């Protein structure tokens, strides 16, 4: 059994950090993520206003997100195919790029959907589940805004302003839920 050289270990750690940073950029802190959270919050507001159970709201949200995501991947594939600037982009490459670009839409739905699933499993009461899922959306939006500004090297006050501004989209959904409810 060989002992790993310090340089090799540093290189492995550097590559792992690059992969992690790439995943955060491509799957989490994207415009699709913000759009996805707002979409999910809107679906929760609409589906939750008719006395639907958490289970029903969960499925409505899950199916809607998957349809929007698939449409986003399809549209991205079609728009990229053959339209690369310096070469003709093959269909498979266009599909891979669109799939990679749209991951944020799916990733952004995870936390609110998991909370809805907790309600569906009766771990949390239905009425509370809807509100927790909406507030989770606000939290996710705040983190997205904060990380986006932090990544760009903005000072702390601008990072916080970015978090509040992005979270405001989720707060609008909560206000809408309060008025509709």
């Amino acid at each position: 059994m060989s002992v790993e050289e310090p340089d090799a270990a540093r290189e492995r750690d550097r590559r792992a950090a690059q992969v992690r940073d790439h995943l955060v950029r491509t799957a989490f802190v994207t415009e699709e993520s913000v759009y996805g959270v707002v979409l999910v919050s809107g679906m929760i507001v609409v589906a939750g206003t008719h006395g639907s159970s958490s289970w029903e709201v969960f499925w409505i949200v899950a199916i809607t997100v998957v349809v929007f995501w698939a449409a986003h991947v399809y549209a991205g594939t079609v728009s990229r195919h053959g339209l690369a600037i310096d070469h003709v982009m093959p269909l498979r490459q266009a599909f891979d790029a669109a799939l990679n670009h749209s991951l944020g839409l799916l990733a952004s739905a995870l936390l609110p959907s998991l909370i809805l699933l907790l309600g569906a499993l009766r771990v949390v009461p239905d009425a509370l589940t809807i509100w927790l899922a909406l507030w989770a959306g606000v939290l996710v939006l705040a983190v997205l805004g904060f990380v986006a500004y932090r990544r760009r090297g903005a000072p702390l006050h601008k990072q916080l302003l970015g978090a509040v501004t992005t979270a405001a989209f989720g707060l609008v959904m909560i206000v809408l839920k309060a008025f509709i409810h």
Side-chain angles (χ1 to χ4, degrees), residues 36-172:
V37 174
V38 173
L39 170 70
V40 167
S41 296
M43 290 306 305
I44 292 170
V45 167
V46 171
T49 58
H50 303 295
S52 301
S53 68
S54 297
W55 187 246
E56 292 167 325
V57 175
F58 170 79
W59 282 111
I60 290 168
V61 167
I63 291 167
T64 303
V65 167
V66 168
V67 169
F68 269 79
W69 171 76
H72 196 271
V73 171
Y74 175 78
T77 301
V78 170
S79 69
R80 285 176 176 82
H81 179 54
L83 296 178
I85 293 172
D86 57 344
H87 68 285
V88 174
M89 185 178 284
L91 185 61
R92 179 64 193 197
Q93 185 181 359
F95 174 78
D96 289 344
L99 187 65
N100 189 39
H101 187 74
S102 67
L103 287 175
L105 202 129
L106 285 179
S108 65
L110 288 178
L111 184 58
S113 295
L114 287 174
I115 292 170
L116 290 170
L117 193 55
L118 288 175
L121 297 172
R122 303 289 181 229
V123 175
V124 179
D126 277 340
L128 180 59
T129 300
I130 302 298
W131 288 105
L132 287 175
L134 288 171
W135 280 106
V138 172
L139 177 65
V140 169
L141 287 167
V143 170
L144 288 171
F146 184 84
V147 171
Y149 279 83
R150 183 175 188 84
R151 222 177 44 198
R152 287 163 182 79
L156 181 59
H157 72 278
K158 287 189 179 179
Q159 293 173 31
L160 294 172
L161 181 61
V164 170
T165 303
T166 310
F169 290 104
L171 291 171
V172 168

